[in-house]
Amino acid sequence: MRRIVTSLLLCAAPLCGATEFSWNTEVDGSLDSGAGSRFGSHQMNLDIPLERYSRGRESLSTDFHLDLTKFSWQGTTAAEGDYFWVSVPIFYRQKRQGGSELHVRFEPGIMTDFDAMGTENLGVNAEVSGRTYLGRTEFVQYGLIVDRRFGDMKPRPTLSWATRLTDSTEMLLGFPNTNIQTRWSDEMSTFVRIYPAGGFWREEVDDLETPAVSDVSYVCWHMGIGTEFRWRANAWVSAEIGQLRNRTIQADDATAVSLSGDPGENGYWRLGGSLRF
């Protein structure tokens, strides 16, 4: 059970110091409204830990992050590029008196199709939050976040509560992430998750007489179930399936006309692997 406490309750991220790769596919389906006839997307994610430092009540970690997103917006000429988010997440954690902690996450990066490469393509995900422990395996966390997964760069409040439900099941319930995880053995666990899975990029529209930089915004929520298990030694494999909710895509087409659409509540699947040391 101690491994669940470490991964869910004590770490700010699902995995502490793990190299992780995943591939996510959203099933093509019709749009409920707006431009186009069908819509789907594919995304690849890569996270590599760079540095870990801990001294006394403080800890600092840095990572390398890359995601590549490709849309299939049929019936339009919008969002046809390959969209990248390349960043270096920096996480600082300070334990304080009275069973509380300060968490600061700062993730500078570039959001681009690699045609547009100006200062307007720079972006920052950020979080400042406090965590108060109500017991050894229970806490509440509260603060402010800026997260591209919402399809923009606006600040939002965050609030969550985590506790142990049984000897083998723990729950993180809140906004923006909910995760209920059950470990059946040291080799396998299952989970239920709800989380935002959109993105925000800036691209160059090339077909104009004077190329222009425009925004691509995708809003989407994943509601899924899945499993992760040890494949061999330090290698783990995960799989997830679920449904897509509250989806909106906005982008300029080849003539710089702004288009938007609301894709239906289709399904998705996700496969991933990680190396944990």
Side-chain angles (χ1 to χ4, degrees), residues 135-182:
R136 189 175 66 87
T137 60
E138 182 179 11
F139 67 77
V140 292
Q141 190 158 333
Y142 39 85
L144 290 174
I145 59 172
V146 176
D147 196 329
R148 293 177 53 261
R149 295 181 302 166
F150 290 105
D152 57 37
M153 302 298 289
K154 298 177 181 179
R156 289 176 171 83
T158 178
L159 178 64
S160 59
W161 169 59
T163 188
R164 178 185 295 177
L165 298 177
T166 68
D167 288 343
S168 59
T169 300
E170 295 200 356
M171 175 178 69
L172 176 67
L173 177 65
F175 178 85
N177 300 307
T178 288
N179 183 13
I180 302 174
Q181 183 169 341
T182 299

Side-chain angles (χ1 to χ4, degrees), residues 12-224:
L15 298 178
C16 295
T19 297
E20 185 172 15
F21 173 84
S22 65
W23 178 263
N24 180 88
T25 292
E26 297 180 356
V27 178
D28 282 7
S30 60
L31 284 84
D32 290 341
S33 63
S37 57
R38 297 182 68 81
F39 181 83
S41 77
H42 308 276
Q43 186 175 79
M44 180 199 74
N45 297 279
L46 176 65
D47 291 281
I48 301 175
L50 297 179
E51 191 171 2
R52 297 291 185 269
Y53 173 80
S54 180
R55 181 178 180 181
R57 292 178 171 269
E58 298 178 302
S59 62
L60 181 71
S61 66
T62 58
D63 300 290
F64 170 80
H65 174 80
L66 165 69
D67 68 49
L68 165 62
T69 303
K70 179 73 174 179
F71 297 109
S72 174
W73 195 357
Q74 299 177 30
T76 76
T77 58
E80 292 184 322
D82 294 329
Y83 300 102
F84 294 84
W85 168 245
V86 184
S87 64
V88 180
I90 302 168
F91 174 64
Y92 171 76
R93 173 181 171 187
Q94 181 188 81
K95 297 181 180 179
R96 298 194 164 191
Q97 299 294 333
S100 63
E101 295 179 354
L102 171 67
H103 290 192
V104 178
R105 185 185 298 275
F106 181 72
E107 184 183 354
I110 183 169
M111 44 190 181
T112 181
D113 60 352
F114 278 111
D115 286 328
M117 290 292 290
T119 55
E120 65 270 24
N121 294 93
L122 301 178
V124 176
N125 285 337
E127 175 184 352
V128 179
S129 61
R131 178 181 289 189
T132 300
Y133 283 88
L134 307 177
R136 189 175 66 87
T137 60
E138 182 179 11
F139 67 77
V140 292
Q141 190 158 333
Y142 39 85
L144 290 174
I145 59 172
V146 176
D147 196 329
R148 293 177 53 261
R149 295 181 302 166
F150 290 105
D152 57 37
M153 302 298 289
K154 298 177 181 179
R156 289 176 171 83
T158 178
L159 178 64
S160 59
W161 169 59
T163 188
R164 178 185 295 177
L165 298 177
T166 68
D167 288 343
S168 59
T169 300
E170 295 200 356
M171 175 178 69
L172 176 67
L173 177 65
F175 178 85
N177 300 307
T178 288
N179 183 13
I180 302 174
Q181 183 169 341
T182 299
R183 185 168 296 280
W184 303 98
S185 70
D186 289 343
E187 312 293 328
M188 177 184 173
S189 67
T190 56
F191 55 81
V192 177
R193 293 175 180 169
I194 303 173
Y195 54 95
F200 183 76
W201 304 265
R202 289 198 167 100
E203 67 171 345
E204 184 176 288
V205 181
D206 296 321
D207 293 341
L208 304 177
E209 184 174 335
T210 302
V213 175
S214 65
D215 296 343
V216 177
S217 171
Y218 179 46
V219 179
C220 176
W221 283 78
H222 282 191
M223 299 177 60

